[in-house]
Structures are given as structure tokens and as C-alpha cells.
Amino acid sequence: MLEIRDLTTGYGRAQVLWDVTASVADGEIVTLLGPNGAGKTTLVNALSGILRPWSGQVLLNDIDLTATRPHLISQSGIAVVPEGRRIFPDMTVTDNLLIGAYNKRARPHHEGNVERIYEIFPRLSERKRQLAGSMSGGEQQMLAIGRALMAEPSLLLLDEPSLGLAPIIVENIFEVLKQLNQEGLSILLVEQNAVEALNLAGRGYVLEEGRIVGEGSSGELLADERLRKAYLGL
Amino acid sequence: GDDEGDAPTTTADVPTETSAAPSEDPIVVGGSLALTGFLAPTAAIHKVAGELFVERLNAAGGLLGRDVVWDVRDDESTPDQAAAIYERLITEENVDLVLGPYGTGTITAAMAVAEREGFVFPHHTASLTYAYTYACHFPTWPVGVDTNISNPNIVYDALEASGNPPATIGFVLNEFPGTQLIGYGPPNSDAGGAVSEAKKRGWDVVLEINFPTATSDWAPIASQVAEADPDFLYVGALGVDGPNLLTALDAINYTPKGHFYQWPAPGPLLGAPNADGAMSVTVFESHPPYTDDPEAASIVDEFAAKAAEAGIPYTLFDVQAATSWTAWQVLTAGVAGAGSLDQEEICDWLLNNPVETIIGTIDFDPAQQNYYGDLSVIKQIQDGKWVVVYPPEKALPGATPEL
Amino acid sequence: MNADLLTQAAVSGALIGGLYALMSLGLSLSWGALENINLAHFMFILFGAYVTYQLTSSAGIDPLLAALIVVPLGFAAGGLLQIFFEWAKVDEFKSLIISFGLFIILQSLARTIWSADFRSLDQSINPYVGSSFTVGSVSLQIPLVIAFVAAALIAFGTQAVMGRTFFGKAVRAVVHDPDTAQAFGVDHRRVGVLLAAIASAYSALAGVLIATFQSLSPTMAVGWFGIVFPVVILGGLGNAVGNFLAGIIIGVAAGVAAVIWGPLSASLVTFSIMVLALLFRPEGLFTRKAAI
Amino acid sequence: MKSRRRALTGFAVAFLILLAVPHLAERMDWPGFYLTFMFTAFFWITQSSSWNMLTGYSGYFSFGQGAWFGVGVYTTAVLAGKQGWSFLAALPLAGFTALIVGLLLGLVVFRLRSLGGEIFALTTLAVAFVLAAIARIFAAIDGGRGAFMTSVPLPEFLGEFRPAMYRMTLVIMMLTLVTAYLIYESRLGWGLFAIRDDEQVARGLGVPTFRYKMAALGANAFFGGLMGGVWALQIGFVTVEDVFSIRVPLFVILMSVLGGTRHWMGPVVGSLIIFTIVDRFNSAGFENFNQVFIGSLLILLVLAVREGIYLRIRERWVATASLFGLIIAASVIFNSSSMVWKFLWALLGILLMALIPDRAWQKLALRRRPTPSESREDRETVDA
Amino acid sequence: MSLLECQGVRKSFGGVRALSDVMMSIEEGEIVGLVGPNGSGKSTLINVLSGFFPADSGRVDFVGVDLLGQEAHEIAAHGIARTFQIPRPFATMTARENVAVSYMFGREKHSLAQARVAADEWLDFTGLASIAESNVDQLNLQQLKFLELARALATEPQLILLDEVLAGLNPAEIEGSVEMIRKIHDRGITIVIVEHVMRVVMSLSHRIVVLDQGRVIADGQPDTVMNDEAVISAYLGGKRI
Ligand SMILES: Nc1ncnc2c1ncn2[C@@H]1O[C@H](COP(=O)(O)OP(=O)(O)OP(=O)(O)O)[C@@H](O)[C@H]1O
Ligand SMILES: Nc1ncnc2c1ncn2[C@@H]1O[C@H](COP(=O)(O)OP(=O)(O)OP(=O)(O)O)[C@@H](O)[C@H]1O
Ligand SMILES: [Mg+2]
Ligand SMILES: [Mg+2]
């Protein structure tokens, strides 16, 4: 479903990603591992339209997203939980969720979807009209996840979704992801909690200094001695 | 001297050495006008008048046989800018002569510079007569040094002359130094002004409102005027205060019985609702007897054409243009009379000789701070036009004040 | 103090308050929703008035019909300016300075075109000036009634759009984080340009109405600062209905104060209200504090 | 601290040189306008530098300069112009009255925790309107009558009007600049910079934000008012319309932004450039273009030189100084008419220099120079 | 006497009770883990202790001084520093300048020159030496969090409140950071650490305080607390430590 070919990008004149090639198949969960500053967030942002790629191709179901105007990317089925949440602080919880449903595909179903998000995260439904910026860190993270789900994506990009969440919520979220995946959602997951992530995913890539340096099934990666040392702390 | 009774003389008293084309460098007259800023609307008229004067002067052979150039700068309606400009013109750019800017504040600031530099300073529109003490300033706003007494009394005389003087009078005065001077007299003096003069005539003052220069909402003033309903409404108005007030009065269906505006922009007032019967002061209007003189008539025509070209909507030559013209006449007469560009000699000549101007003969009197009595006359809007109605010898033949 | 007089002052004040609100709404939206302190709105008003004057006096169009031309022009001008702002990536502070530059340029353009002298529509071609009707002892000036009604409709309409539609939410999202908004499908350029265009159209409309009953001069725009800014603050940035109510409060307070204490007190009262509002409700009188 | 001593010595030397100018002017029989030109420049430098102490340093955007200026003008206009005080006795009060008004405002607005920067900006705009209304209402201040300053006598030791204005404005400007510099180099300055970036965090790290903001506002108002007090003399006839107009705040903003608000020298450079250009435009009689030009320049500069031109030219100071000297020398040789014109050409050279984008500059320069962000190291050692 | 003592601290936002009656004490030299479900009031408590929010009622004693009602900058001067869960660097300054400002104003007042030297030490300590010259907009989240830490340390606090500084590190990186926090502790600084990553909390804390709905529901030895039924059901879920 998602094909990344020779993607390069960066900030200003500083290049961060170098010829990244990767893919996510339909219905797959793929995880992206890598040390701090490797460029994982950069990759996610380049896929979601937050950041423009410099060169290379991103194909979603064979449609070239690099040729698509960024605001139409969500329409083609990609949604993102960005690093640092990036919720809209001056807007209410509900309005933040509605922005998630802005694209034409999801907009007609926004009412039902909001209710669903409120079921997944009851805390959000208690605070519908609170300004998102005044929510606690974890609550904002829930909101960011909820907002992405509002977009009815076929591919969900998650950049450290568990960051700042209580263990009980993390567990809950991984449950939800598993369930959505079973309903057909493809997922690209960046997660520091690598063991957990690999357990959920079928496959993973390892990104270091902006380059893909390894790839394999979860089992293979979990067994890799170097990775265990470097990322899993085992 | 006091020239109040004189018939209007309109000779543009230009000394013409009809020699060949001037060969020397032109004589440069420096000055500023409020081409931008809040005084700009009226300053535009002074610009056209000055340009026309210089054009005609040069066509007639220039001054002392030399062409004249008017170097006019924009003082942005601010006094400190005006001061800097006159300083620059005199000391850096070495102009030969200066002519005052437009507006009380800028004139005052520029006059201080002229005084320091010893330059003759003719000026046309400064309203605070009591404050000007420079020996070589030559005012051509011909209202007399006691304008706070003389000016309202000319108005009141016209009202009496109408045969129907008011029993009650109301004052609406702009909080502008000039209108306040006329309304109440100079600060810290008991001389009084329009208000006390009206009381002296036994009229009942039923309304006194002061409003700030930047007033945009006239409804509250209008309702108070309507409530007081004076027989005569004396408006210490500048610019478009008059039309604004009239519009607001009309909105509450009130028509003033009789009304006077101190220094209105003439065009907009003509277009205002219920403007007929509105009075004002003037020294020149574009109709007989003023235009009886062919010279004056041609000035009026040329001014109208030039003003239209400059995009000015009201193109009749009247009080603003005429005082500007007078200032030019005074300056050039002084130079011609002295026969030199020496400032002291020009000043001396002007102090000692009367000058024939478009508004009459002017004889600067050092005993009156170089003023020379009040030459103002009363005009009124009749049938959609401004006509001079008082005193009879200066009125449009047949016209009388109507109340 | 006569009761009729006060009633008249209050009613006239409320009506002119409607005009104040309309004059302020464009700036308020631009500031509150787009975070551009766009002083060019004063010029949209001024040019709206002058173009109306021009159309009416040279083509003989009824001044209100001129709105059909002037308002779209305002819309286009505001949109273009926003495109420029987006292209130049201006922030709040820069927008203030750039639009002040525009303010000066356009003011001098107006002076070049229409001269510094006053212009006003002649009574013969302007059926609205001075026209009024009376209700009881109170008379209502028609141009101001029109402005009031227009301001009310626009205020409530705008509020509904901003509060209830996806467009309104998108506007707020875009201001804070255009990149993230874009990732969720918001075309941040289009949203911003559209809102700016609408805001400018409002200002142009205010200009049309001003031309129907006031004399125009290029320098008059600076005088509007003293009215528009208090209304914008009192109403709360970007809050259309608040802006409308603030216009009325300012109009009534200034009108009544002028009758009771004289016209000099009007601006003092206006600003006192503004300062009090700032002290007790810095977010604007009518902006709901974030509900929890 | 060595650098501070060096800088203060620099100020003292500059002061002494400038102090000698009126004598020189007399000796060399300069046009009187040169002094007027210089003291008007001092006026603007003072106004914009004092504005920058608040807005540039703390980030609180102020339209209040017109208010501080106006309070100063009216203080001397009332005391010296109307009440007959001696001018030098009234002058300090111009600063202190403005200071008091400023601190009163600060007491009100800085107590509000939820006050946004833009609301502060508008409040300062309102202050000028309120003061104007007060001046109109109270006859003791103005009452719509204006106040004459034209016959106020000046103490003899100051000399004639022009040199007297020059000396007074020079002293005030130097005081302002030294203050601006000392703040910039002190804890107060860095505390204000921290406030500019994130006030809450600054407070959490120990910056006494309320006191610091009051200090910045007070310094701004004091120097703005003090210079206003002198300026009343140049205005001659003081009226509410002129004094409380939008002109002073807007020019001050323009000048500081052009020069750069991040450094105490920015407003100095900006004021010189803008003031000289405007003056020469007027001198050339381009009044119709003056406004268009200023407007365009404003837009262009805000877009082209973000950090203000001062930081740019400092990166390139050798080239800039050479160009400045070269142009002056060339215009002396080719004898263009007036010194002010020569100064203008040289300033335009500086402006041009600043407009060269960083990248183009690096290509132009023979050896590669660091870009502003890269060169913070040496900027800091320069400042330290 | 304890270093810090909270009694009955309450704080509401409109209808939301973020803190209701918090009782807690911190001994000198301790590392205390503060955990609890999302929205349980941890950050709010840090905000109250550091003077960012005024508490509605209660008492906070810090070495015998009542902190409530004191301004944030006064509290900083008493020796309490904190980091922000969502980093808030001074955006127009370099990393070094960020730390230098904080050193100038911290517990003791220092000059600019001294601050530059000290800033480099703290950047070194937090592993940010290489980005000392960078503008903060070039830093990634992790670097920003460590910058928060460096800035807090530069105030030379007695007590430091860390709000999720280690979230977002991978397990291997966490090892190194835990070492760093120990080093901070070795300098005699008392630490309160808020963190959802249990391995961090467990390996560092001498004592754990658990908040839930603005109340302390457990307080004690890490092992005991983590096996507490209430804590498990409110916070840990099925995943016991
Ligand atoms: N806005 C930016 N401007 C310039 N450089 C940036 C920016 N954001 C990130 N970088 C740099 O790009 C590189 C990759 O950063 P990125 O955030 O993509 O890493 P990451 O793999 O997501 O790391 P982490 O695990 O910390 O989230 C880093 O060296 C970082 O310093
Ligand atoms: N300014 C505010 N307005 C309204 N509610 C607020 C405000 N600040 C915090 N809250 C609410 O108070 C509660 C406590 O928030 P706090 O940030 O202290 O939680 P936390 O324990 O730090 O959670 P997390 O682990 O998710 O960071 C939350 O429900 C939050 O939504
Ligand atoms: Mg990342
Ligand atoms: Mg928290």
C-alpha cells in the first residue's frame, strides 16, 4: 500500500534523510526503530505532508504523494499522530477532533466517529469543551491519537504514541491499534518501547543517521544481538 | 492704517521692468505647506494659488527682472517639521525669500526660524493674532489684532442689519486655538470674544458646546442644538465641521433658524442639507464687486481652471486663495519697493508703505503688531451659492443678509 | 437633562455604533483569526468610500448600488494581500509593519487621485444623506440604520460560520500550526485567503456606508484608530458578535457622555471603558472564557 | 568587564567629539541647518532607542512612545511656556512626569497575568488618546488653546537657540544610549530577553519579571519624555493634535525595526538612515513620493532583512566601514552640494550592503565568513 | 525536618479538581518518583510547587518557608527548579544562552561573563556540548528536554522537579540517562521525578508517591507501591512490574 523510494529530505539546507526506501503492505503493522535523532520523525512528517520531501517518491496505492498537494494527502488516506502531539492548543477538544475529520472522505461521518473516539478515551469526553492546550500531557496525547483516527485513515502513522501515557493507557492503545489493524488499517509505528512495538508489528526497519540500515520480521529483529543492545536495552 | 471702508482694490501690483527675458538666476522663494496631514485639505488651495501667482508674475517679467521660483515643501502639518524646513531652506539651500506655511502651528514654528535668521515673513493663515510679535512678520489674514472682538461684531452687525436680529444665540466651538480665541478671547485675558460680545448686545446665550477637533460623531451635539433651539447658531467650525453638524441636525429633522460658520471648507458646506442661509466670513468672493476689476476676474478664471486641474473639487477663488494671493503680493511688493533682496530693506519698506492687494490696501501698523484692522465681510449661502451680503458696499449688488 | 435628549443620544449612539462595529470587524477578524494586525483595513474602508464617491458622482450609480462593485473589489484586494502575506510568511508583528507601509502608500495614492481636499456626495445624487424617519420622539438616520442592520446581520452570520462550520475551525487551526492543519487536509492558503478576503469585503462595505453621509478626505483614516481599536479590544479579537456589541456600547457611551458632559468627554469615556474592560476581561467583554 | 570599560570610554569620546561640533560649525561657518539636522537626528535616536529598551528587549510591543513624548512636551510647555518656570528647572520634570505616567500604566497592565502582548500594544495606543483627551479638557494643560514655547528664554551658557538645542539633545541622547547599552550588557537585559521569549519560564528560572518590565517601561517613558521636554522648543506652538499624533510612535517603530530591535545599536542605525532619507526627500522636493517611498522601504526591509540591518552590517563591518568612507571621500572629491547629501549617499551604501543576502555575501567575500547564526560565538565575545 | 512538606494542597480549574488535598513530604537527598494516571495532577503539583499556579488552599513548606503565595521567581531563588513536560526553550537564544540566562538568575545572581562558563559546564553534563551554538529551533524533542534539564540545573537548585524528561528515549538510551540523574543526585540535589516509563522510576526512586484524581493514593517503597492493588488498577493495568 505504501511505497517509499529513495526519499531524501531535511530542514533548511540540512539534509536528514538519505535515500530511504521502505514499504508498508496492506493491513500490515510496520515499526520503525532507531536511535535518538536518526530521522524517524522526519520520515513520518515527510509522509504526512507536514514536511515536503526533497526527492524520491512516496506512493500510496500507486498514487504518487510527492506530486500531490500536501493538504490532499489526508484525503488519500494517511493520518498522523505527530511527535510532540501538535494539537491545536487554543481550540476545544471537540474542535481538535473535528479538524481530524476535515478531509472530504471522513467529514460526512464525523458525528459517529467523534462518539467512537469518546468511547475509546472517556477522559476526552469528560472534557469536550476544555481548551486542548490546558489538558495534561497524556490527555493531549490521547487527543492527538483521537484526531488521527477521526480522519478514517487507511494508513496510520504513529510517532511515539505511548509517550507520556500511563502504562494502563498504553496497554489500552495497543489493544485499540491491534483491533483497528484487524479491521484493515495499515500502521507505521515509531516507538521507543521497542519490544512492545515489535510484538505488535510484523516487520520493522532500523533507521540510523537518516539511512535504513536494517530490516526484518519482528522475530529477526528481536533476535538481533546488536539491536538488542542498542535499542532494546536487553 | 485702517482700510475697512475701502472699496476692493484688485491690482496685482507687480512691478514690471519690461526688459528682455530675465538673464540672471531665478529668485527662489522658499516655504512649506501642509501637503499631507490633517491640514492638507485646505493647504491644497494655497498651493494652487501660489503657483498661479508665480506663473503670472513670471509671465509679467518676474521680480527685479528675474524669474521667480517657488520652492514649496511638505511640512506634513507638523510644526517641528516646518521649523526644520525653513531652517534648511534659509541656511542650507540659501533661498532668497520665504513665505509662510499654512496653519497656525506651522506658521508659529516657521516664524521663530525666520526671526532667528532675520527673514521677512509674510504669512496668510495664522489665527492667533495676539501672539505674533516678530517685527518683520506680515500677516495677510486680515482680521485685525483684536479679531476676537472685531470678527464676531461684523457678524452681529450683519444680523442687526437683516432687520431680524436674534433674541437667543447658541455657540458650538471647535477646541482649536483659533476658534477658541474668537469665541472667548486670548487666554489669560478678560477681553472676551464672540460669546461675551453677544451678551453685550443683550442676546440670550442658550447653548455653549466645545467639541474636539477630531469629532466624528455629531449626533449628540445635534440633539443639544435642537433642544436649545437658538434663534442663531454660531459655529466655530473648521473644515467639514459645518456640513457634519448640518447632516446630523437634518437627521433629527432640525433646521437651524440662522447659522454662521467660522472657517468652513466652502464646497462641502454648499452640499450639506439645509445649508441655505449659512453665513461665514470672507475677504474675497468670485463675484462682483470683487470681479469688476478685469485683473481680478482673470485671476478668478485662471484659478478655477488650475484648481480643477489639481483635482480640487471646489474651484472658486475665495477667502483662502485670496489671503494666499495677498501674502504673495506683500512679499513681491516689498522686494520691488526696496529694490533689493536685502531682508532688512524689504522689512523697512513694508513697515513704511501701504500695499495694494487683491483684498484691499494694507498698511502694516507696528503699533498693532503689524495688523491693520479687520477687513472681513459676511457671506451667506443664498440659492445654493456663496454671496457677500454685508456690508452693503462690498455685497453682491442687491444682496442683503437674510434671516 | 431632558429624557428625550438622552434617548435620542442613546439611539443615535447605538446606530453609529453599528457603523463602528462594521468598520472594526475586518480588522478584528484579521487580527483574531489570522493573527495579522492588518492596518490596511483602514485603507479598504477609505477606498471603499472614495470608490463609492467616484462611481456615484461620475457614473450616477446610487451609492448603495455601488456596493455591488466596491465590495467585490474589497474582497479581491484583501485576498491578494493575504496571498502576499502567506508568500512572505509574515508573522503578527511583521504584518503590522507591512500593512502600515501599505497604509501610508495607499493614503498618498488616495491623495493623488482625489486630492487632499474634502469630497462629499452632492445631495442631488445621494438620497441617503440626512434622510431619516422618526419613531416616537426619536429620529433615526437612514444611512446609520442601514449600517446597523448590515453590521448585525454580518456579525451574527460570521459568528455562525466561524463557530459552527468546518471552515471556521480550519481557520483557527491554520493560524496556530499550518503544517499540522495541512496534514489533516486543510488547505491553509485557501482558508486564510478566503477569510482575509471576506474581512476586507466587510471593511469596503463600511466605506460605502460612510460615503453616504460623511465628507471624505485622505487623512480621515487616522482618526478612525481611536474608535476602531477600542471596539476591537472590547469585543474580543476575532469575535464577530462581541465586536458588534462592543460597537454599540462604545457608540452609546460616547453619545450619552457627549450629551451629559460635553463632546470632549466622549473619547475619555470610550477609552475608560476600554481600559476597564482590559483590566477585568482582557480577553474581551464577550469572549467566553474557555469552558471546562 | 574590560569590554564594558572600553565601551564606556567609547561613549565618552563620542560625546566629547560631538560636543565640539557647535564650535566647529561656527568656526567653519556651516549652514545653521547642519546643527538642526544633527539635533533632530539625536531626537529620533533617543526616541527609538528608548522605545527599544522596552519593546526590543522585553518584546512588549508599544505604541506608547507618542504618549511619553507628549507628556514630556506638555510638561515643559505648561511649566516653562505657561507658568514661567525656568526651562532647565522644568526639563527634568518632563522625564519624571512621563516616568510616573509610564509606571502607573505598568502598575495596571503588568499586574494582569493573562495580558497578551497585543493587548498591551493597544493599551499603550490608548494611553496617548486618553492623555490627549485630558489635555483638551483641562485648561491648565491646554484646554484647546495650545501653548507657546517661542518666547521661553534659554540659559545663556547653552548658547543661541540652535547650539542650545544641540547640546541639550546631545546630552539626553548620550544618557539614553549609555543606559541602553548598560541594560543590554546586564542581568536586567538578559532577564528582559528571557521575558521576550517566554515570560512564564523566565519567572520560573528566577527572573523578577514584574520589576524588570517596570524598569524597562520606566526607562522608556523617562527618556522619551525627557527628550519630548526639549522638543517642545522646536515645536514652538504646542497643540494636542500635533503632539499626540501617531507620527512619533510609528516612526520610532519604523526606525527600530529597520535597524534591528535585538541590539542596542539597531535603533541608532535605523534612525539615522530613515531620518536622513526622509530629510533629503523633503529637501529634494519629492513630497509626493516621500510617503510612498517610506511605505515601500518599510515593506521591503521587513521582508528582506529580518533581524534588522545592524546585525547584518556588523558581520560585514570592514567592508561596510570602507564603503562608507569611500563614498564620503568620493562625494567630497566630486563635491556634491551639502554635507547632508554626502552623509545620505554613504548611508545608502550601508543600506545596500545590508541588503545583500547572506548567501550572496559568502560568495562575494574572498574568504568565507560565518553566517549570523554560526557566528554567535564571536558575537558573544564582542558583547561580553 | 523534611525539605519540602505539602499539606492539603488544592487546585481547581473551573470545574476540574486537579489537586484535592495533597499531602506529601520530601526528605533532603531523596529521589522521589511521582507517578499516576494521565491527568491525575502531577504536572499541576509541579506547577504549584514551582509557583506557576497559585494553589487554592493548603500549605507548602520548603526548609521552613511557606511557598504558597510566593512568586515563581522567589521560589526559584529559594532553590527549587523544574523542567517542563512540553519543552519551552527561549526561542531566540542559542542553547548556551538558554542555560546562561538561567544561571544568571538562579539561586544566586551571577554576571553574564560567569554565566557563559557555567552554561558550558551544564551543557557538557547533559551531553549537549555539541549543540551549544545551535538555535533551539534546530533541536529535536529529546535535545529540547535535556536542554530543559540543563537549564534547571543551572539555577543551582536544592530541589529539582523533573516532568517527564526521559520520555521518548529508547531503553538503551535510558540507561545512560539514569546514570546522569544519579550524578545529579550525587551533587546533593534532591529530585522529584515524574515519569511514565516504569523502568526509570523503579531504578531511580528511593520512594514513590502515586497520585490519582488529585490525591495521594500510595506512598512508600517502590516495590510495595507497585504491588498495591489500587495503584495497579488505576495506573499500571495488567502489566505488573
Ligand atoms: N526543525 C528542525 N530543523 C533543523 N533540524 C532538525 C529539525 N528537526 C529535527 N532536526 C534534526 O534532524 C535530525 C533528525 O531528527 P528527528 O526528529 O527526525 O529524529 P528522530 O529519529 O525522530 O529522533 P527521536 O527519537 O529523538 O524522536 C536530528 O539531527 C535533528 O537535530
Ligand atoms: N489550565 C487548565 N484548565 C483546565 N484544566 C486543566 C488546566 N490545567 C490542567 N487541567 C486539568 O487538570 C488535570 C491535571 O492535569 P496535570 O497536567 O496535572 O496531569 P498530569 O498528572 O501531569 O498528567 P500527565 O501524566 O498526562 O501529564 C487534567 O485533567 C487537566 O486536564
Ligand atoms: Mg522523533
Ligand atoms: Mg503532566
Side-chain angles (χ1 to χ4, degrees), chain E residues 7-30:
Chain E
Q7 278 172 12
V9 172
R10 288 167 196 246
K11 175 76 192 169
S12 314
F13 301 99
V16 178
R17 269 227 181 149
L19 298 176
S20 40
D21 236 352
V22 173
M23 302 279 192
M24 181 178 79
S25 71
I26 311 273
E27 303 302 326
E28 184 150 9
E30 262 190 318

Side-chain angles (χ1 to χ4, degrees), chain A residues 41 83 159-160:
Chain A
T41 298
E83 182 183 66
D159 197 347
E160 305 192 22

Side-chain angles (χ1 to χ4, degrees), chain C residues 178-205:
Chain C
D179 293 335
T180 306
Q182 175 170 287
F184 284 95
V186 181
D187 183 350
H188 67 263
R189 293 213 171 75
R190 221 196 48 158
V191 166
V193 169
L194 191 58
L195 185 71
I198 293 172
S200 316
Y202 294 163
S203 296
L205 180 63

Side-chain angles (χ1 to χ4, degrees), chain A residues 36 136 138 163-164 166 168 192 230-231, chain E residues 38 142 168 170-173 196 235:
Chain A
N36 206 269
S136 86
L163 189 115
I168 190 168
Q192 297 299 4
Y231 306 132
Chain E
N38 297 117
Q142 209 46 57
N170 72 37
E173 291 159 344
H196 290 295
Y235 182 59

Side-chain angles (χ1 to χ4, degrees), chain A residues 123 127 130-131 134-140 142 164-166, chain C residues 292, chain E residues 13-14 16-19 36-45 47 53 85 163-164 194 196 211:
Chain A
R123 171 50 59 89
R127 304 291 171 79
Q130 184 169 336
L131 291 187
S134 70
M135 302 279 278
S136 86
E139 290 163 348
Q140 291 183 14
M142 299 175 203
L165 291 179
Chain C
I292 294 178
Chain E
F13 301 99
V16 178
R17 269 227 181 149
L19 298 176
N38 297 117
S40 56
K42 305 180 294 294
S43 299
T44 306
L45 183 58
N47 279 322
F53 293 162
Q85 184 172 359
D163 200 353
E164 299 196 22
V194 174
H196 290 295
L211 280 185

Side-chain angles (χ1 to χ4, degrees), chain E residues 103-123:
Chain E
Y103 183 72
M104 288 163 83
F105 286 95
R107 196 131 72 97
E108 274 157 41
K109 311 302 170 199
H110 299 279
S111 76
L112 184 57
Q114 294 168 309
R116 293 211 164 97
V117 180
D120 281 334
E121 279 170 30
W122 288 115
L123 286 170

Side-chain angles (χ1 to χ4, degrees), chain B residues 35 73-74 77 79-81 84 87-88 91-93 108-109 116-117 128 131 175-177 180-181 185 187 213, chain D residues 31-33 36 136 143-145 148 150 161-162 231 234-235 237 241-242 247 279-280 282-283 287 291 338:
Chain B
L35 300 173
R73 306 288 165 74
D74 180 16
S77 310
D80 47 346
Q81 289 271 87
E87 200 129 19
R88 184 164 55 221
T91 69
E92 188 193 7
E93 299 176 16
T108 307
R116 281 203 292 278
E117 304 294 339
L128 300 183
E175 273 240 336
F176 173 80
Q180 292 286 308
L181 167 66
T213 303
Chain D
F33 176 69
T36 306
R136 278 198 192 97
R145 309 303 298 261
F148 282 94
T150 38
F161 180 80
R162 261 192 305 252
W231 208 244
Q234 176 74 355
I235 296 173
F237 179 57
E241 268 67 38
D242 289 324
R247 187 168 78 110
D279 177 82
R280 287 300 99 181
N282 202 309
S283 166
E287 65 273 346
Q291 312 257 327
S338 142

